Amino acid sequence: MTDPKTLAARFPGDFVFGVATASFQIEGASKADGRKPSIWDAFSNMPGRVFGRHNGDIACDHYNRWEQDLDLIAEMGVSAYRFSIAWPRIIPEGTGRINEPGLDFYDKLVDGLKARNIKAFATLYHWDLPLALMGDGGWTARSTAYAFQRYAKVVMARLGDRLDAVATFNEPWCSVWLSHLYGVHAPGERNMEAALHAMHYTNLAHGLGVDAIRQVAPQVPAGLVLNAHSVIPGSDSAEDKAAAERAFQFHNGAFFGPVFKGEYPADMMEALGDKMPKVEDGDLEIISQKLDWWGLNYYTPMRVSANPDASADYPATKDAPPVSKVKTDIGWEVYAPALKSLVETLYDRYELPVCYITENGACYNMGLDAKGEVDDQPRLDYYSEHLGVVADLIKDGFPMRGYFAWSLMDNFEWAEGYRMRFGLVHVDYDTQVRTVKKSGKWYSELAAQFPAGNYKSA
Ligand code: GCO
């Protein structure tokens, strides 16, 4: 079903349609107005870490073009914007001095959203840790969790009166496992003990962050954005099914467990507990405070089979082959049913509050054609198919409240640099010209129908 109006009729009138970005991926102006380096500045400036040694110095120059970018969101008829706040602009050394010009930037941005009648969904941490905190061990140090709490207080004191929602963290899976165990993201560590420390201190920071939000701006709905994995066994064998369960605990349970149940997965702790940092009395209570909402980022399923190698670390799995032949340009399998089963499984296993899909989208790298247009039909198809699944979930009674396309515009795709494009809007990095793609026009036709008075809320 690709007709946006027909699709729109499947969503309640108060459903939120938005677009998402993140500070390091779009802002550029990495040295402006007192900003100091983050771990991503350091990482991207090291050879061999990021494709083409691309970095965030200029990115989409959003720091200087934010008004034009907000105009674009408004022109697209999109009613919510999910963005992140750069800690190194606010407290450049991570602790200590507060940098007022950094706060001023987000102050103007939020006012600009309000003036355009666009809802402001802020994320406090989308991976740009102030580099100075690496001197204490970064996320492997307990002190970083308290530094985050203070940063959260500072931001909420300044912006809390105008935010529509706030998330503490974006995708702890990435800032923990991908960054400290698999070495793909900053700081590029590959060590289970470091990763488990990052896991617990990130979870703790989330809880301390919720405390901060509730103290300073209790009226702002507080949430957490997780890239939960839809784990599918590679076969029906008992070994592969057991492997999939271990993978579920490791990739999802490590975060959902403490946050929504107040406990780490027992099997995982049995296997890895000796490498854990000390979980102090009260930590799990802080981590498991009730949230107002949670965000799901979904792109592709995770298919696993058992790894027979006796020396393999928990969860002892290996990748199983994709089932769908359709892949995006970054190589990720397109398989929308996994989004449905993922939401069902998570609500079955955990007591979850209302859900926003905070990211969903596809990487296709086509550029402008001779007519100056970007024909990205496969991205449009991806959106259409996955939004159909979200509508099915609403029909089945799941509390899905909104959907944010990743991303508003092409941007710095982390270790892939600028070569991988996820935008509804094309960015020419030489000229900074923005061109709305075919998918962007389609999404805007859908989003512009909302809010609508004529549908009943789910
Ligand atoms: C994420 C990220 C985005 C990525 C996107 C595509 O949260 O993973 O928010 O920064 O660009 O997921 O990989």
Side-chain angles (χ1 to χ4, degrees):
M1 178 190 336
T2 56
D3 173 52
K5 294 229 167 71
T6 316
L7 187 56
R10 302 193 60 207
F11 290 86
D14 58 354
F15 195 80
V16 173
F17 277 98
V19 287
T21 65
S23 49
F24 192 79
Q25 296 182 272
I26 63 165
E27 286 178 358
S30 62
K31 298 186 176 69
D33 299 335
R35 182 188 182 278
K36 288 274 173 76
S38 72
I39 56 173
W40 269 97
D41 295 274
F43 192 72
S44 55
N45 287 326
M46 276 178 210
R49 296 298 205 172
V50 172
F51 172 80
R53 241 168 130 171
H54 297 168
N55 64 31
D57 285 359
I58 299 172
C60 306
D61 195 31
H62 170 77
Y63 191 78
N64 296 308
R65 295 168 196 262
W66 64 270
E67 287 186 276
Q68 170 199 331
D69 289 337
L70 297 196
D71 286 344
L72 185 59
I73 299 172
E75 280 157 25
M76 289 172 80
V78 168
S79 61
Y81 179 48
R82 173 174 179 250
F83 61 99
S84 80
I85 294 165
W87 185 350
R89 291 197 193 281
I90 310 294
I91 306 177
E93 280 94 23
T95 58
R97 196 178 51 85
I98 295 167
N99 181 45
E100 290 298 328
L103 282 165
D104 294 344
F105 172 71
Y106 296 103
D107 210 62
K108 284 186 299 188
L109 186 79
V110 172
D111 279 347
L113 289 168
K114 299 285 106 171
R116 292 167 181 80
N117 207 12
I118 300 167
K119 286 188 164 54
F121 278 61
T123 303
L124 294 172
Y125 187 76
H126 201 128
W127 311 348
D128 36 7
L129 184 73
L131 182 60
L133 291 178
M134 285 309 287
D136 301 319
W139 282 115
T140 69
R142 191 174 172 99
S143 53
T144 297
Y146 294 97
F148 174 79
Q149 182 178 38
R150 172 165 176 265
Y151 155 68
K153 270 190 198 160
V154 169
V155 171
M156 295 313 286
R158 183 72 173 265
L159 305 179
D161 57 335
R162 283 154 294 150
L163 294 181
D164 293 281
V166 64
T168 52
F169 281 76
N170 175 71
E171 301 195 355
W173 183 91
C174 289
S175 54
V176 172
W177 301 141
L178 199 58
S179 304
H180 293 85
L181 184 61
Y182 305 133
V184 179
H185 279 188
E189 182 57 273
R190 286 197 170 89
N191 179 291
M192 183 63 90
E193 199 170 335
L196 289 165
H197 282 64
M199 173 192 74
H200 184 60
Y201 296 139
T202 298
N203 285 329
L204 179 63
H206 156 74
L208 293 169
V210 173
D211 268 349
I213 296 162
R214 299 243 158 98
Q215 272 173 37
V216 180
Q219 75 285 1
V220 184
L224 169 65
V225 170
L226 295 154
N227 56 325
H229 288 82
S230 184
V231 187
I232 305 175
S235 79
D236 278 341
S237 74
E239 290 76 17
D240 284 355
K241 284 185 180 162
E245 177 58 23
R246 291 195 302 275
F248 184 95
Q249 296 304 347
F250 186 76
H251 298 291
N252 298 329
F255 309 102
F256 281 84
V259 172
F260 296 111
K261 274 191 168 163
E263 63 191 29
Y264 283 108
D267 290 358
M268 181 177 161
M269 286 302 109
E270 201 172 300
L272 298 172
D274 60 330
K275 297 189 171 71
M276 282 285 287
K278 186 169 168 22
V279 176
E280 294 188 4
D281 283 352
D283 282 2
L284 286 161
E285 284 72 29
I286 293 171
I287 296 170
S288 61
Q289 296 174 76
K290 279 227 173 335
L291 298 179
D292 300 303
W293 63 280
W294 74 287
L296 170 62
N297 292 357
Y298 171 82
Y299 293 91
T300 188
M302 172 184 269
R303 299 186 189 274
V304 301
S305 49
N307 182 347
D309 181 348
S311 67
D313 264 342
Y314 187 91
T317 59
K318 51 185 192 181
D319 295 346
V323 166
S324 157
K325 287 194 188 47
V326 187
K327 281 190 189 166
T328 65
D329 286 350
I330 202 169
W332 298 352
E333 178 187 358
V334 176
Y335 189 69
L339 170 58
K340 182 135 193 298
S341 53
L342 175 61
V343 171
E344 290 164 351
T345 305
L346 291 169
Y347 274 93
D348 188 39
R349 291 198 189 217
Y350 305 100
E351 258 183 60
L352 301 174
V354 299
C355 179
Y356 290 82
I357 303 290
T358 31
E359 281 179 34
N360 178 233
C363 174
Y364 289 104
N365 297 326
M366 52 287 270
L368 272 60
D369 62 20
K371 287 184 284 185
E373 287 166 10
V374 182
D375 182 351
D376 60 341
Q377 184 67 39
R379 177 179 286 109
L380 193 165
D381 293 340
Y382 181 100
Y383 276 116
S384 168
E385 198 185 352
H386 287 76
L387 277 161
V389 167
V390 179
D392 291 343
L393 286 164
I394 294 171
K395 193 173 76 199
D396 291 350
F398 289 95
M400 315 305 289
R401 294 288 189 265
Y403 178 96
F404 291 79
W406 183 271
S407 173
L408 166 63
M409 58 187 159
D410 297 336
N411 57 48
F412 177 78
E413 179 52 27
W414 307 110
E416 301 291 346
Y418 295 97
R419 72 170 162 171
M420 294 297 170
R421 295 175 179 267
F422 279 83
L424 292 169
V425 175
H426 179 271
V427 176
D428 179 327
Y429 294 110
D430 293 328
T431 61
Q432 293 295 345
V433 169
R434 277 81 160 129
T435 306
V436 181
K437 301 177 189 178
K438 186 174 181 184
S439 61
K441 292 177 186 163
W442 179 88
Y443 190 71
S444 113
E445 258 191 81
L446 170 69
Q449 312 285 318
F450 296 86
N454 49 339
Y455 304 112
K456 256 185 67 202
S457 186

